[in-house]
Amino acid sequence: MAISEHPGARSRSTLRFQQKEIAGTGDHQRMPIENIVAFVAASFLIALSPGPGTAMVLRQSVHGRKAALATVFGMEVGVACWAVAAALGLSVLLTASEIAFHALRIAGAAFLIYLGVKALISKSLPDAAPPPASHAFRSGLIVNLANPKLGVFAISFLPQFVPAGQAGQGVLLFLAVGWVVIDTVWYLIIVSILHTIRGWLSRPRVRPALEKLSGGVLLALGIRLVLDPR
């Protein structure tokens, strides 16, 4: 005679089986440690690369820590927009439309050239009031938002660290947030270092030279963005 299984026992067995399946699914979706290490290392190397952001933070540092921090936060909001757009697949529209890409590229280059020329021709006075933090934030935001190459880079950079066999926006969004955090940490380190030597940066001979140097860098980067179609 066959022995029938108690309904309660069958329910408990089914529940344990479902819990094992859920646990297995969670392990499958977990990012391998080697992917995370490679992503963090690559993100730091990218942050170390000098660019418009470094020049802008250097220029704003002579106006004080508040202006420099506002610039950093503005830039990182721009980076976050491109990173999230890449994770959601929206940046593909930019690569598909050559007109939109070049229009945004020219706009970004024009803004960099404007900032560079402004820094070159401005007269830096020791007692001049620092610009409002909102202006510094807006400048940092525009520099990164108007840089379509940042969006194209995000499309090619983030998917490299998605584990094999995993697909979905969740992993890409996690990587996007991580990229912004690492980039922010690096620029905060720069701001802290510059703040410790602010007394030297504010010297009558050093401050104008720093303004001209950062202005020349921004101008050169703007011209480069114009001449480099991709």
Side-chain angles (χ1 to χ4, degrees):
M1 181 178 66
I3 301 176
S4 60
E5 187 178 359
H6 192 276
R10 184 181 296 118
S11 299
R12 288 191 296 271
S13 176
T14 302
L15 178 60
R16 284 195 297 269
F17 178 75
Q18 290 176 344
Q19 289 174 338
K20 288 181 180 179
E21 282 192 325
I22 295 173
T25 303
D27 291 337
H28 179 66
Q29 295 296 330
R30 191 178 300 155
M31 282 190 66
I33 186 64
E34 57 268 21
N35 289 51
I36 297 177
V37 171
F39 170 73
V40 172
S43 297
F44 264 117
L45 288 176
I46 293 167
L48 288 171
S49 303
T54 305
M56 289 196 62
V57 172
L58 184 63
R59 179 170 180 262
Q60 292 291 348
S61 63
V62 301
H63 300 300
R65 189 175 186 178
K66 186 176 181 180
L69 288 174
T71 303
V72 170
F73 292 141
M75 293 191 307
E76 295 310 321
V77 170
V79 172
C81 289
W82 283 121
V84 172
L88 298 178
L90 301 178
S91 296
V92 178
L93 300 175
L94 183 64
T95 60
S97 174
E98 190 170 349
I99 295 177
F101 177 88
H102 288 301
L104 196 56
R105 177 178 63 86
I106 296 300
F111 188 67
L112 286 176
I113 293 173
Y114 161 75
L115 292 176
V117 172
K118 182 180 178 181
L120 288 173
I121 65 177
S122 64
K123 295 182 178 180
S124 182
L125 301 176
D127 298 330
S134 59
H135 290 184
F137 177 87
R138 185 168 61 247
S139 296
L141 176 64
I142 294 175
V143 162
N144 277 345
L145 276 185
N147 184 5
K149 292 187 176 183
L150 192 58
V152 174
F153 172 78
I155 297 174
S156 60
F157 174 64
L158 297 178
Q160 296 182 49
F161 304 96
V162 176
Q166 294 189 20
Q169 296 175 346
V171 177
L172 288 172
L173 285 172
F174 170 76
L175 293 173
V177 172
W179 182 26
V180 173
V181 170
I182 292 171
D183 202 55
T184 303
V185 168
W186 170 246
Y187 278 112
L188 290 179
I189 293 174
I190 294 179
V191 171
S192 298
I193 294 173
L194 293 175
H195 183 68
T196 59
I197 59 173
R198 186 189 173 193
W200 178 77
L201 295 176
S202 301
R203 290 181 178 180
R205 292 185 179 181
V206 177
R207 181 169 178 169
L210 189 61
E211 287 271 5
K212 300 298 184 289
L213 175 62
S214 59
V217 171
L218 291 170
L219 179 61
L221 290 171
I223 295 174
R224 179 184 174 186
L225 193 57
V226 171
L227 298 178
D228 186 9
R230 282 289 175 179

Short mmCIF file of all heavy atoms in Angstrom, two decimals, residues 81-121:
data_model
loop_
_atom_site.label_atom_id
_atom_site.label_comp_id
_atom_site.label_asym_id
_atom_site.label_seq_id
_atom_site.Cartn_x
_atom_site.Cartn_y
_atom_site.Cartn_z
N CYS A 81 24.20 61.78 -15.03
CA CYS A 81 23.19 61.79 -16.10
C CYS A 81 23.63 60.90 -17.26
O CYS A 81 22.84 60.09 -17.78
CB CYS A 81 22.96 63.22 -16.58
SG CYS A 81 22.09 64.28 -15.40
N TRP A 82 24.88 61.03 -17.69
CA TRP A 82 25.37 60.20 -18.79
C TRP A 82 25.47 58.73 -18.39
O TRP A 82 25.16 57.84 -19.20
CB TRP A 82 26.74 60.70 -19.25
CG TRP A 82 26.70 61.94 -20.08
CD1 TRP A 82 27.32 63.13 -19.81
CD2 TRP A 82 26.03 62.12 -21.34
NE1 TRP A 82 27.06 64.05 -20.80
CE2 TRP A 82 26.27 63.45 -21.75
CE3 TRP A 82 25.24 61.30 -22.12
CZ2 TRP A 82 25.75 63.96 -22.94
CZ3 TRP A 82 24.71 61.81 -23.31
CH2 TRP A 82 24.97 63.12 -23.70
N ALA A 83 25.90 58.46 -17.16
CA ALA A 83 26.04 57.08 -16.71
C ALA A 83 24.68 56.38 -16.64
O ALA A 83 24.52 55.25 -17.10
CB ALA A 83 26.73 57.04 -15.35
N VAL A 84 23.70 57.07 -16.08
CA VAL A 84 22.35 56.48 -15.98
C VAL A 84 21.73 56.33 -17.37
O VAL A 84 21.07 55.33 -17.67
CB VAL A 84 21.46 57.34 -15.06
CG1 VAL A 84 20.01 56.85 -15.11
CG2 VAL A 84 21.98 57.30 -13.63
N ALA A 85 21.97 57.32 -18.23
CA ALA A 85 21.45 57.23 -19.59
C ALA A 85 22.04 56.03 -20.31
O ALA A 85 21.34 55.31 -21.06
CB ALA A 85 21.76 58.51 -20.36
N ALA A 86 23.33 55.77 -20.10
CA ALA A 86 23.97 54.60 -20.72
C ALA A 86 23.39 53.31 -20.14
O ALA A 86 23.16 52.34 -20.87
CB ALA A 86 25.48 54.66 -20.49
N ALA A 87 23.16 53.28 -18.82
CA ALA A 87 22.61 52.08 -18.19
C ALA A 87 21.19 51.78 -18.68
O ALA A 87 20.80 50.62 -18.82
CB ALA A 87 22.62 52.24 -16.67
N LEU A 88 20.42 52.82 -18.96
CA LEU A 88 19.05 52.64 -19.42
C LEU A 88 18.94 52.51 -20.94
O LEU A 88 17.86 52.34 -21.47
CB LEU A 88 18.18 53.83 -18.96
CG LEU A 88 18.06 54.01 -17.44
CD1 LEU A 88 17.22 55.23 -17.13
CD2 LEU A 88 17.46 52.77 -16.79
N GLY A 89 20.09 52.63 -21.62
CA GLY A 89 20.09 52.49 -23.08
C GLY A 89 19.73 53.75 -23.83
O GLY A 89 19.56 53.72 -25.05
N LEU A 90 19.62 54.89 -23.13
CA LEU A 90 19.22 56.12 -23.79
C LEU A 90 20.35 56.76 -24.59
O LEU A 90 20.10 57.47 -25.56
CB LEU A 90 18.69 57.12 -22.75
CG LEU A 90 17.50 56.65 -21.92
CD1 LEU A 90 17.11 57.71 -20.89
CD2 LEU A 90 16.31 56.33 -22.82
N SER A 91 21.60 56.51 -24.17
CA SER A 91 22.74 57.13 -24.87
C SER A 91 22.91 56.59 -26.28
O SER A 91 23.60 57.20 -27.09
CB SER A 91 24.02 56.89 -24.06
OG SER A 91 23.95 57.54 -22.82
N VAL A 92 22.30 55.44 -26.55
CA VAL A 92 22.39 54.88 -27.91
C VAL A 92 21.76 55.83 -28.91
O VAL A 92 22.19 55.90 -30.08
CB VAL A 92 21.70 53.50 -27.95
CG1 VAL A 92 21.75 52.91 -29.35
CG2 VAL A 92 22.38 52.54 -26.97
N LEU A 93 20.76 56.57 -28.48
CA LEU A 93 20.11 57.54 -29.37
C LEU A 93 21.11 58.61 -29.82
O LEU A 93 21.03 59.10 -30.95
CB LEU A 93 18.92 58.20 -28.66
CG LEU A 93 17.81 57.25 -28.19
CD1 LEU A 93 16.76 58.03 -27.40
CD2 LEU A 93 17.18 56.55 -29.38
N LEU A 94 22.04 58.95 -28.93
CA LEU A 94 23.04 59.96 -29.27
C LEU A 94 24.00 59.45 -30.33
O LEU A 94 24.35 60.16 -31.26
CB LEU A 94 23.81 60.37 -28.02
CG LEU A 94 24.86 61.48 -28.17
CD1 LEU A 94 24.18 62.78 -28.57
CD2 LEU A 94 25.64 61.66 -26.88
N THR A 95 24.42 58.19 -30.19
CA THR A 95 25.34 57.63 -31.18
C THR A 95 24.63 57.38 -32.50
O THR A 95 25.28 57.36 -33.56
CB THR A 95 25.92 56.30 -30.66
OG1 THR A 95 24.86 55.37 -30.40
CG2 THR A 95 26.70 56.53 -29.36
N ALA A 96 23.32 57.16 -32.46
CA ALA A 96 22.58 56.90 -33.69
C ALA A 96 22.33 58.18 -34.48
O ALA A 96 22.17 58.14 -35.70
CB ALA A 96 21.26 56.22 -33.37
N SER A 97 22.28 59.31 -33.80
CA SER A 97 22.02 60.58 -34.47
C SER A 97 23.32 61.39 -34.55
O SER A 97 23.77 61.96 -33.55
CB SER A 97 20.96 61.38 -33.70
OG SER A 97 20.79 62.65 -34.26
N GLU A 98 23.91 61.42 -35.72
CA GLU A 98 25.17 62.14 -35.90
C GLU A 98 24.96 63.64 -35.73
O GLU A 98 25.84 64.35 -35.21
CB GLU A 98 25.75 61.84 -37.29
CG GLU A 98 27.17 62.34 -37.48
CD GLU A 98 27.79 61.80 -38.75
OE1 GLU A 98 27.20 60.89 -39.37
OE2 GLU A 98 28.87 62.29 -39.11
N ILE A 99 23.80 64.14 -36.15
CA ILE A 99 23.53 65.57 -36.03
C ILE A 99 23.47 65.97 -34.56
O ILE A 99 24.07 66.98 -34.15
CB ILE A 99 22.20 65.93 -36.73
CG1 ILE A 99 22.32 65.69 -38.24
CG2 ILE A 99 21.82 67.37 -36.44
CD1 ILE A 99 21.04 65.94 -39.00
N ALA A 100 22.78 65.18 -33.73
CA ALA A 100 22.68 65.49 -32.31
C ALA A 100 24.04 65.42 -31.64
O ALA A 100 24.38 66.26 -30.80
CB ALA A 100 21.70 64.52 -31.64
N PHE A 101 24.83 64.41 -32.00
CA PHE A 101 26.16 64.26 -31.41
C PHE A 101 27.03 65.48 -31.69
O PHE A 101 27.65 66.05 -30.79
CB PHE A 101 26.82 62.99 -31.96
CG PHE A 101 28.22 62.77 -31.47
CD1 PHE A 101 28.46 62.08 -30.29
CD2 PHE A 101 29.31 63.27 -32.17
CE1 PHE A 101 29.76 61.89 -29.83
CE2 PHE A 101 30.61 63.08 -31.72
CZ PHE A 101 30.82 62.38 -30.54
N HIS A 102 27.08 65.88 -32.96
CA HIS A 102 27.97 66.99 -33.33
C HIS A 102 27.44 68.33 -32.80
O HIS A 102 28.23 69.22 -32.44
CB HIS A 102 28.13 67.05 -34.85
CG HIS A 102 28.97 65.94 -35.39
ND1 HIS A 102 30.27 65.72 -35.00
CD2 HIS A 102 28.69 64.95 -36.30
CE1 HIS A 102 30.77 64.67 -35.64
NE2 HIS A 102 29.82 64.19 -36.41
N ALA A 103 26.13 68.48 -32.74
CA ALA A 103 25.57 69.72 -32.20
C ALA A 103 25.94 69.87 -30.72
O ALA A 103 26.35 70.96 -30.27
CB ALA A 103 24.05 69.73 -32.37
N LEU A 104 25.82 68.78 -29.98
CA LEU A 104 26.18 68.82 -28.57
C LEU A 104 27.69 68.99 -28.40
O LEU A 104 28.15 69.70 -27.49
CB LEU A 104 25.71 67.53 -27.89
CG LEU A 104 25.66 67.53 -26.35
CD1 LEU A 104 24.77 68.65 -25.85
CD2 LEU A 104 25.15 66.18 -25.85
N ARG A 105 28.46 68.38 -29.28
CA ARG A 105 29.92 68.50 -29.21
C ARG A 105 30.36 69.95 -29.43
O ARG A 105 31.21 70.47 -28.70
CB ARG A 105 30.57 67.58 -30.25
CG ARG A 105 32.08 67.68 -30.33
CD ARG A 105 32.62 66.69 -31.35
NE ARG A 105 32.16 66.98 -32.69
CZ ARG A 105 32.76 67.86 -33.51
NH1 ARG A 105 33.83 68.52 -33.10
NH2 ARG A 105 32.29 68.07 -34.72
N ILE A 106 29.79 70.60 -30.43
CA ILE A 106 30.14 71.99 -30.72
C ILE A 106 29.70 72.91 -29.57
O ILE A 106 30.43 73.84 -29.19
CB ILE A 106 29.50 72.45 -32.04
CG1 ILE A 106 30.06 71.63 -33.21
CG2 ILE A 106 29.73 73.93 -32.27
CD1 ILE A 106 31.55 71.76 -33.39
N ALA A 107 28.53 72.63 -29.00
CA ALA A 107 28.06 73.44 -27.87
C ALA A 107 29.00 73.30 -26.67
O ALA A 107 29.35 74.29 -26.01
CB ALA A 107 26.65 73.03 -27.49
N GLY A 108 29.41 72.08 -26.40
CA GLY A 108 30.34 71.85 -25.30
C GLY A 108 31.69 72.50 -25.55
O GLY A 108 32.29 73.09 -24.64
N ALA A 109 32.19 72.41 -26.79
CA ALA A 109 33.46 73.04 -27.13
C ALA A 109 33.38 74.56 -27.00
O ALA A 109 34.31 75.20 -26.50
CB ALA A 109 33.86 72.65 -28.55
N ALA A 110 32.26 75.13 -27.44
CA ALA A 110 32.08 76.58 -27.35
C ALA A 110 32.08 77.03 -25.89
O ALA A 110 32.64 78.09 -25.56
CB ALA A 110 30.77 76.98 -28.03
N PHE A 111 31.47 76.24 -25.01
CA PHE A 111 31.44 76.62 -23.60
C PHE A 111 32.83 76.54 -22.99
O PHE A 111 33.23 77.40 -22.19
CB PHE A 111 30.48 75.71 -22.84
CG PHE A 111 30.23 76.15 -21.43
CD1 PHE A 111 29.56 77.33 -21.15
CD2 PHE A 111 30.67 75.38 -20.37
CE1 PHE A 111 29.35 77.75 -19.85
CE2 PHE A 111 30.46 75.79 -19.05
CZ PHE A 111 29.80 76.97 -18.80
N LEU A 112 33.61 75.52 -23.35
CA LEU A 112 34.98 75.41 -22.85
C LEU A 112 35.83 76.58 -23.34
O LEU A 112 36.63 77.15 -22.58
CB LEU A 112 35.61 74.09 -23.30
CG LEU A 112 35.14 72.81 -22.59
CD1 LEU A 112 35.78 71.59 -23.23
CD2 LEU A 112 35.46 72.87 -21.10
N ILE A 113 35.67 76.93 -24.61
CA ILE A 113 36.42 78.06 -25.16
C ILE A 113 36.02 79.35 -24.44
O ILE A 113 36.87 80.19 -24.12
CB ILE A 113 36.18 78.17 -26.67
CG1 ILE A 113 36.82 76.96 -27.38
CG2 ILE A 113 36.74 79.46 -27.23
CD1 ILE A 113 36.50 76.87 -28.86
N TYR A 114 34.74 79.52 -24.18
CA TYR A 114 34.25 80.70 -23.45
C TYR A 114 34.89 80.78 -22.07
O TYR A 114 35.38 81.85 -21.66
CB TYR A 114 32.73 80.65 -23.35
CG TYR A 114 32.16 81.53 -22.28
CD1 TYR A 114 32.08 82.91 -22.45
CD2 TYR A 114 31.70 80.98 -21.08
CE1 TYR A 114 31.57 83.72 -21.44
CE2 TYR A 114 31.18 81.79 -20.08
CZ TYR A 114 31.11 83.16 -20.27
OH TYR A 114 30.61 83.96 -19.28
N LEU A 115 34.91 79.65 -21.34
CA LEU A 115 35.51 79.65 -20.01
C LEU A 115 37.01 79.95 -20.07
O LEU A 115 37.55 80.66 -19.23
CB LEU A 115 35.27 78.31 -19.32
CG LEU A 115 33.83 77.97 -18.93
CD1 LEU A 115 33.76 76.56 -18.35
CD2 LEU A 115 33.30 78.97 -17.92
N GLY A 116 37.68 79.37 -21.10
CA GLY A 116 39.11 79.59 -21.24
C GLY A 116 39.44 81.04 -21.53
O GLY A 116 40.33 81.63 -20.90
N VAL A 117 38.72 81.63 -22.47
CA VAL A 117 38.96 83.04 -22.83
C VAL A 117 38.64 83.95 -21.64
O VAL A 117 39.37 84.91 -21.35
CB VAL A 117 38.13 83.42 -24.06
CG1 VAL A 117 38.22 84.93 -24.32
CG2 VAL A 117 38.60 82.64 -25.29
N LYS A 118 37.57 83.63 -20.96
CA LYS A 118 37.18 84.44 -19.79
C LYS A 118 38.27 84.43 -18.73
O LYS A 118 38.58 85.46 -18.12
CB LYS A 118 35.87 83.89 -19.22
CG LYS A 118 35.34 84.69 -18.03
CD LYS A 118 34.04 84.08 -17.52
CE LYS A 118 33.52 84.85 -16.30
NZ LYS A 118 32.27 84.25 -15.78
N ALA A 119 38.87 83.24 -18.50
CA ALA A 119 39.94 83.14 -17.51
C ALA A 119 41.20 83.87 -17.97
O ALA A 119 41.92 84.46 -17.16
CB ALA A 119 40.26 81.68 -17.23
N LEU A 120 41.46 83.86 -19.27
CA LEU A 120 42.68 84.48 -19.80
C LEU A 120 42.61 86.02 -19.75
O LEU A 120 43.63 86.68 -19.52
CB LEU A 120 42.93 84.02 -21.24
CG LEU A 120 43.39 82.57 -21.41
CD1 LEU A 120 43.44 82.19 -22.88
CD2 LEU A 120 44.77 82.37 -20.77
N ILE A 121 41.43 86.56 -19.98
CA ILE A 121 41.33 88.03 -20.05
C ILE A 121 40.88 88.66 -18.74
O ILE A 121 40.92 89.88 -18.60
CB ILE A 121 40.36 88.46 -21.17
CG1 ILE A 121 38.92 88.00 -20.85
CG2 ILE A 121 40.80 87.91 -22.52
CD1 ILE A 121 37.89 88.45 -21.86
#
